[in-house]
mmCIF file of all heavy atoms in Angstrom:
data_model
loop_
_atom_site.group_PDB
_atom_site.id
_atom_site.type_symbol
_atom_site.label_atom_id
_atom_site.label_comp_id
_atom_site.label_asym_id
_atom_site.label_seq_id
_atom_site.Cartn_x
_atom_site.Cartn_y
_atom_site.Cartn_z
ATOM 1 N N GLY A 1130 115.212 20.951 78.836
ATOM 2 C CA GLY A 1130 114.648 19.772 78.188
ATOM 3 C C GLY A 1130 113.337 19.278 78.736
ATOM 4 O O GLY A 1130 112.921 18.149 78.426
ATOM 5 N N VAL A 1131 112.632 20.094 79.536
ATOM 6 C CA VAL A 1131 111.337 19.691 80.074
ATOM 7 C C VAL A 1131 110.234 20.241 79.164
ATOM 8 O O VAL A 1131 110.203 21.430 78.860
ATOM 9 C CB VAL A 1131 111.134 20.215 81.509
ATOM 10 C CG1 VAL A 1131 109.785 19.753 82.063
ATOM 11 C CG2 VAL A 1131 112.270 19.735 82.416
ATOM 12 N N THR A 1132 109.326 19.373 78.742
ATOM 13 C CA THR A 1132 108.207 19.791 77.893
ATOM 14 C C THR A 1132 107.106 20.394 78.758
ATOM 15 O O THR A 1132 106.585 19.717 79.653
ATOM 16 C CB THR A 1132 107.638 18.593 77.111
ATOM 17 O OG1 THR A 1132 108.674 18.017 76.314
ATOM 18 C CG2 THR A 1132 106.488 19.029 76.222
ATOM 19 N N PRO A 1133 106.738 21.666 78.535
ATOM 20 C CA PRO A 1133 105.743 22.312 79.397
ATOM 21 C C PRO A 1133 104.320 21.963 78.985
ATOM 22 O O PRO A 1133 104.050 21.693 77.814
ATOM 23 C CB PRO A 1133 106.018 23.798 79.174
ATOM 24 C CG PRO A 1133 106.504 23.866 77.752
ATOM 25 C CD PRO A 1133 107.279 22.588 77.520
ATOM 26 N N MET A 1134 103.394 22.000 79.941
ATOM 27 C CA MET A 1134 102.002 21.710 79.629
ATOM 28 C C MET A 1134 101.073 22.880 79.933
ATOM 29 O O MET A 1134 99.851 22.753 79.796
ATOM 30 C CB MET A 1134 101.528 20.468 80.379
ATOM 31 C CG MET A 1134 101.537 20.566 81.891
ATOM 32 S SD MET A 1134 100.677 19.160 82.671
ATOM 33 C CE MET A 1134 98.988 19.431 82.157
ATOM 34 N N VAL A 1135 101.616 24.032 80.369
ATOM 35 C CA VAL A 1135 100.779 25.177 80.714
ATOM 36 C C VAL A 1135 101.621 26.437 80.639
ATOM 37 O O VAL A 1135 102.856 26.388 80.707
ATOM 38 C CB VAL A 1135 100.189 24.987 82.138
ATOM 39 C CG1 VAL A 1135 101.260 25.140 83.206
ATOM 40 C CG2 VAL A 1135 99.042 25.953 82.399
ATOM 41 N N ASP A 1136 100.959 27.580 80.473
ATOM 42 C CA ASP A 1136 101.637 28.875 80.498
ATOM 43 C C ASP A 1136 102.151 29.122 81.912
ATOM 44 O O ASP A 1136 101.378 29.338 82.847
ATOM 45 C CB ASP A 1136 100.659 29.979 80.092
ATOM 46 C CG ASP A 1136 101.273 31.367 80.165
ATOM 47 O OD1 ASP A 1136 102.499 31.470 80.380
ATOM 48 O OD2 ASP A 1136 100.531 32.357 79.989
ATOM 49 N N PHE A 1137 103.456 29.109 82.084
ATOM 50 C CA PHE A 1137 104.064 29.184 83.417
ATOM 51 C C PHE A 1137 103.712 30.480 84.125
ATOM 52 O O PHE A 1137 103.552 30.501 85.353
ATOM 53 C CB PHE A 1137 105.588 29.046 83.279
ATOM 54 C CG PHE A 1137 106.314 28.927 84.599
ATOM 55 C CD1 PHE A 1137 106.284 27.745 85.312
ATOM 56 C CD2 PHE A 1137 107.036 29.991 85.113
ATOM 57 C CE1 PHE A 1137 106.957 27.616 86.512
ATOM 58 C CE2 PHE A 1137 107.710 29.875 86.315
ATOM 59 C CZ PHE A 1137 107.671 28.686 87.014
ATOM 60 N N GLU A 1138 103.595 31.568 83.386
ATOM 61 C CA GLU A 1138 103.345 32.867 84.007
ATOM 62 C C GLU A 1138 102.039 32.858 84.808
ATOM 63 O O GLU A 1138 101.905 33.577 85.792
ATOM 64 C CB GLU A 1138 103.283 33.970 82.947
ATOM 65 C CG GLU A 1138 104.553 34.111 82.113
ATOM 66 C CD GLU A 1138 105.761 34.474 82.951
ATOM 67 O OE1 GLU A 1138 105.577 35.142 83.993
ATOM 68 O OE2 GLU A 1138 106.885 34.095 82.583
ATOM 69 N N ARG A 1139 101.077 32.039 84.397
ATOM 70 C CA ARG A 1139 99.793 32.006 85.099
ATOM 71 C C ARG A 1139 99.876 31.277 86.433
ATOM 72 O O ARG A 1139 98.971 31.374 87.259
ATOM 73 C CB ARG A 1139 98.732 31.357 84.210
ATOM 74 C CG ARG A 1139 98.521 32.076 82.890
ATOM 75 C CD ARG A 1139 97.378 31.489 82.115
ATOM 76 N NE ARG A 1139 96.088 31.765 82.752
ATOM 77 C CZ ARG A 1139 94.932 31.249 82.351
ATOM 78 N NH1 ARG A 1139 94.913 30.411 81.316
ATOM 79 N NH2 ARG A 1139 93.802 31.540 82.973
ATOM 80 N N LEU A 1140 100.978 30.552 86.653
ATOM 81 C CA LEU A 1140 101.160 29.844 87.919
ATOM 82 C C LEU A 1140 101.744 30.734 89.000
ATOM 83 O O LEU A 1140 101.612 30.447 90.191
ATOM 84 C CB LEU A 1140 102.104 28.644 87.723
ATOM 85 C CG LEU A 1140 101.621 27.531 86.804
ATOM 86 C CD1 LEU A 1140 102.784 26.588 86.506
ATOM 87 C CD2 LEU A 1140 100.480 26.779 87.447
ATOM 88 N N VAL A 1141 102.404 31.807 88.593
ATOM 89 C CA VAL A 1141 103.175 32.625 89.535
ATOM 90 C C VAL A 1141 102.232 33.539 90.292
ATOM 91 O O VAL A 1141 101.884 34.629 89.840
ATOM 92 C CB VAL A 1141 104.254 33.438 88.786
ATOM 93 C CG1 VAL A 1141 105.096 34.230 89.776
ATOM 94 C CG2 VAL A 1141 105.142 32.501 87.970
ATOM 95 N N VAL A 1142 101.802 33.089 91.464
ATOM 96 C CA VAL A 1142 100.848 33.835 92.273
ATOM 97 C C VAL A 1142 101.148 33.573 93.737
ATOM 98 O O VAL A 1142 101.650 32.509 94.101
ATOM 99 C CB VAL A 1142 99.398 33.421 91.923
ATOM 100 C CG1 VAL A 1142 99.162 31.967 92.209
ATOM 101 C CG2 VAL A 1142 98.386 34.293 92.630
ATOM 102 N N MET A 1143 100.859 34.577 94.596
ATOM 103 C CA MET A 1143 101.223 34.465 96.007
ATOM 104 C C MET A 1143 100.120 35.081 96.848
ATOM 105 O O MET A 1143 99.624 36.160 96.543
ATOM 106 C CB MET A 1143 102.544 35.200 96.263
ATOM 107 C CG MET A 1143 103.048 35.140 97.693
ATOM 108 S SD MET A 1143 103.654 33.494 98.096
ATOM 109 C CE MET A 1143 104.286 33.775 99.753
ATOM 110 N N GLY A 1144 99.724 34.386 97.936
ATOM 111 C CA GLY A 1144 98.743 34.944 98.852
ATOM 112 C C GLY A 1144 97.385 34.272 98.714
ATOM 113 O O GLY A 1144 96.966 33.878 97.633
ATOM 114 N N PHE A 1145 96.678 34.127 99.833
ATOM 115 C CA PHE A 1145 95.383 33.450 99.840
ATOM 116 C C PHE A 1145 94.383 34.153 98.920
ATOM 117 O O PHE A 1145 93.691 33.519 98.131
ATOM 118 C CB PHE A 1145 94.815 33.411 101.265
ATOM 119 C CG PHE A 1145 95.673 32.665 102.237
ATOM 120 C CD1 PHE A 1145 96.467 33.347 103.142
ATOM 121 C CD2 PHE A 1145 95.683 31.277 102.249
ATOM 122 C CE1 PHE A 1145 97.250 32.658 104.053
ATOM 123 C CE2 PHE A 1145 96.469 30.579 103.150
ATOM 124 C CZ PHE A 1145 97.266 31.280 104.059
ATOM 125 N N VAL A 1146 94.290 35.465 99.039
ATOM 126 C CA VAL A 1146 93.318 36.210 98.249
ATOM 127 C C VAL A 1146 93.670 36.149 96.772
ATOM 128 O O VAL A 1146 92.809 35.957 95.905
ATOM 129 C CB VAL A 1146 93.243 37.676 98.734
ATOM 130 C CG1 VAL A 1146 92.349 38.502 97.814
ATOM 131 C CG2 VAL A 1146 92.726 37.729 100.171
ATOM 132 N N GLU A 1147 94.959 36.289 96.461
ATOM 133 C CA GLU A 1147 95.400 36.266 95.071
ATOM 134 C C GLU A 1147 95.131 34.913 94.424
ATOM 135 O O GLU A 1147 94.724 34.835 93.260
ATOM 136 C CB GLU A 1147 96.888 36.614 94.989
ATOM 137 C CG GLU A 1147 97.232 38.046 95.392
ATOM 138 C CD GLU A 1147 97.365 38.246 96.888
ATOM 139 O OE1 GLU A 1147 97.067 37.320 97.663
ATOM 140 O OE2 GLU A 1147 97.748 39.358 97.299
ATOM 141 N N VAL A 1148 95.367 33.835 95.161
ATOM 142 C CA VAL A 1148 95.091 32.500 94.634
ATOM 143 C C VAL A 1148 93.593 32.327 94.395
ATOM 144 O O VAL A 1148 93.157 31.780 93.375
ATOM 145 C CB VAL A 1148 95.616 31.413 95.595
ATOM 146 C CG1 VAL A 1148 95.122 30.040 95.180
ATOM 147 C CG2 VAL A 1148 97.141 31.430 95.624
ATOM 148 N N ALA A 1149 92.780 32.807 95.337
ATOM 149 C CA ALA A 1149 91.331 32.678 95.196
ATOM 150 C C ALA A 1149 90.834 33.364 93.933
ATOM 151 O O ALA A 1149 89.915 32.866 93.265
ATOM 152 C CB ALA A 1149 90.636 33.256 96.428
ATOM 153 N N SER A 1150 91.445 34.488 93.574
ATOM 154 C CA SER A 1150 91.008 35.212 92.383
ATOM 155 C C SER A 1150 91.325 34.451 91.102
ATOM 156 O O SER A 1150 90.756 34.730 90.055
ATOM 157 C CB SER A 1150 91.675 36.596 92.344
ATOM 158 O OG SER A 1150 93.066 36.485 92.104
ATOM 159 N N ARG A 1151 92.240 33.473 91.188
ATOM 160 C CA ARG A 1151 92.619 32.684 90.016
ATOM 161 C C ARG A 1151 92.087 31.259 90.107
ATOM 162 O O ARG A 1151 92.581 30.361 89.422
ATOM 163 C CB ARG A 1151 94.156 32.655 89.902
ATOM 164 C CG ARG A 1151 94.814 34.021 89.851
ATOM 165 C CD ARG A 1151 94.923 34.535 88.440
ATOM 166 N NE ARG A 1151 95.924 33.780 87.715
ATOM 167 C CZ ARG A 1151 97.246 33.984 87.832
ATOM 168 N NH1 ARG A 1151 97.709 34.912 88.629
ATOM 169 N NH2 ARG A 1151 98.080 33.269 87.123
ATOM 170 N N LEU A 1152 91.100 31.050 90.962
ATOM 171 C CA LEU A 1152 90.608 29.705 91.224
ATOM 172 C C LEU A 1152 90.152 28.968 89.972
ATOM 173 O O LEU A 1152 90.473 27.774 89.807
ATOM 174 C CB LEU A 1152 89.477 29.758 92.258
ATOM 175 C CG LEU A 1152 89.030 28.414 92.849
ATOM 176 C CD1 LEU A 1152 90.199 27.684 93.491
ATOM 177 C CD2 LEU A 1152 87.916 28.642 93.870
ATOM 178 N N PRO A 1153 89.415 29.596 89.053
ATOM 179 C CA PRO A 1153 89.013 28.863 87.847
ATOM 180 C C PRO A 1153 90.187 28.292 87.069
ATOM 181 O O PRO A 1153 90.119 27.156 86.567
ATOM 182 C CB PRO A 1153 88.263 29.924 87.030
ATOM 183 C CG PRO A 1153 87.750 30.882 88.048
ATOM 184 C CD PRO A 1153 88.829 30.939 89.099
ATOM 185 N N PHE A 1154 91.278 29.060 86.979
ATOM 186 C CA PHE A 1154 92.454 28.554 86.270
ATOM 187 C C PHE A 1154 93.020 27.319 86.965
ATOM 188 O O PHE A 1154 93.339 26.320 86.315
ATOM 189 C CB PHE A 1154 93.529 29.637 86.180
ATOM 190 C CG PHE A 1154 94.887 29.113 85.808
ATOM 191 C CD1 PHE A 1154 95.162 28.712 84.511
ATOM 192 C CD2 PHE A 1154 95.883 28.977 86.769
ATOM 193 C CE1 PHE A 1154 96.401 28.207 84.166
ATOM 194 C CE2 PHE A 1154 97.132 28.464 86.432
ATOM 195 C CZ PHE A 1154 97.390 28.085 85.129
ATOM 196 N N PHE A 1155 93.145 27.373 88.297
ATOM 197 C CA PHE A 1155 93.751 26.247 89.003
ATOM 198 C C PHE A 1155 92.842 25.012 88.985
ATOM 199 O O PHE A 1155 93.334 23.881 88.941
ATOM 200 C CB PHE A 1155 94.104 26.656 90.437
ATOM 201 C CG PHE A 1155 95.339 27.504 90.526
ATOM 202 C CD1 PHE A 1155 95.251 28.869 90.714
ATOM 203 C CD2 PHE A 1155 96.589 26.947 90.384
ATOM 204 C CE1 PHE A 1155 96.382 29.657 90.775
ATOM 205 C CE2 PHE A 1155 97.740 27.714 90.440
ATOM 206 C CZ PHE A 1155 97.635 29.081 90.634
ATOM 207 N N LEU A 1156 91.544 25.212 89.007
ATOM 208 C CA LEU A 1156 90.635 24.068 88.873
ATOM 209 C C LEU A 1156 90.760 23.443 87.489
ATOM 210 O O LEU A 1156 90.766 22.210 87.353
ATOM 211 C CB LEU A 1156 89.192 24.518 89.127
ATOM 212 C CG LEU A 1156 88.873 24.916 90.569
ATOM 213 C CD1 LEU A 1156 87.447 25.449 90.663
ATOM 214 C CD2 LEU A 1156 89.073 23.747 91.524
ATOM 215 N N SER A 1157 90.890 24.286 86.466
ATOM 216 C CA SER A 1157 91.096 23.767 85.106
ATOM 217 C C SER A 1157 92.424 23.022 85.015
ATOM 218 O O SER A 1157 92.515 21.963 84.366
ATOM 219 C CB SER A 1157 91.056 24.926 84.108
ATOM 220 O OG SER A 1157 91.432 24.487 82.816
ATOM 221 N N LEU A 1158 93.461 23.553 85.686
ATOM 222 C CA LEU A 1158 94.766 22.897 85.664
ATOM 223 C C LEU A 1158 94.689 21.522 86.321
ATOM 224 O O LEU A 1158 95.275 20.551 85.829
ATOM 225 C CB LEU A 1158 95.796 23.779 86.364
ATOM 226 C CG LEU A 1158 97.217 23.223 86.448
ATOM 227 C CD1 LEU A 1158 97.790 23.000 85.057
ATOM 228 C CD2 LEU A 1158 98.113 24.173 87.253
ATOM 229 N N ARG A 1159 93.963 21.431 87.418
ATOM 230 C CA ARG A 1159 93.808 20.126 88.057
ATOM 231 C C ARG A 1159 93.156 19.115 87.106
ATOM 232 O O ARG A 1159 93.575 17.952 87.053
ATOM 233 C CB ARG A 1159 92.962 20.268 89.328
ATOM 234 C CG ARG A 1159 93.697 20.889 90.506
ATOM 235 C CD ARG A 1159 92.861 20.741 91.767
ATOM 236 N NE ARG A 1159 93.540 21.298 92.926
ATOM 237 C CZ ARG A 1159 93.138 21.116 94.184
ATOM 238 N NH1 ARG A 1159 92.055 20.394 94.418
ATOM 239 N NH2 ARG A 1159 93.794 21.654 95.173
ATOM 240 N N ARG A 1160 92.148 19.567 86.398
ATOM 241 C CA ARG A 1160 91.486 18.648 85.467
ATOM 242 C C ARG A 1160 92.455 18.189 84.386
ATOM 243 O O ARG A 1160 92.471 17.002 84.009
ATOM 244 C CB ARG A 1160 90.274 19.342 84.833
ATOM 245 C CG ARG A 1160 89.108 19.538 85.799
ATOM 246 C CD ARG A 1160 87.844 19.936 85.065
ATOM 247 N NE ARG A 1160 87.958 21.256 84.469
ATOM 248 C CZ ARG A 1160 87.619 22.393 85.095
ATOM 249 N NH1 ARG A 1160 87.158 22.356 86.335
ATOM 250 N NH2 ARG A 1160 87.725 23.553 84.468
ATOM 251 N N ARG A 1161 93.285 19.085 83.875
ATOM 252 C CA ARG A 1161 94.253 18.714 82.842
ATOM 253 C C ARG A 1161 95.264 17.714 83.377
ATOM 254 O O ARG A 1161 95.632 16.746 82.692
ATOM 255 C CB ARG A 1161 94.975 19.960 82.328
ATOM 256 C CG ARG A 1161 94.099 20.886 81.507
ATOM 257 C CD ARG A 1161 94.884 22.056 80.988
ATOM 258 N NE ARG A 1161 95.954 21.632 80.086
ATOM 259 C CZ ARG A 1161 96.848 22.469 79.559
ATOM 260 N NH1 ARG A 1161 96.799 23.770 79.844
ATOM 261 N NH2 ARG A 1161 97.786 22.015 78.745
#
């Protein structure tokens, strides 16, 4: 019963380097 606000699969990431490669997505998520 939770209404989602983003594609969950794009959140599933692990590791400093891996997160850095997805930085634009996470910055956009923060703005949302």
Side-chain angles (χ1 to χ4, degrees):
V1131 181
T1132 302
M1134 63 170 293
V1135 71
D1136 177 8
F1137 188 75
E1138 301 298 331
R1139 301 186 69 187
L1140 296 168
V1141 183
V1142 62
M1143 181 72 176
F1145 299 103
V1146 174
E1147 294 83 353
V1148 170
S1150 69
R1151 304 271 289 281
L1152 191 57
F1154 164 74
F1155 283 103
L1156 291 175
S1157 172
L1158 179 61
R1159 285 191 179 191
R1160 288 193 293 270
R1161 290 182 63 184

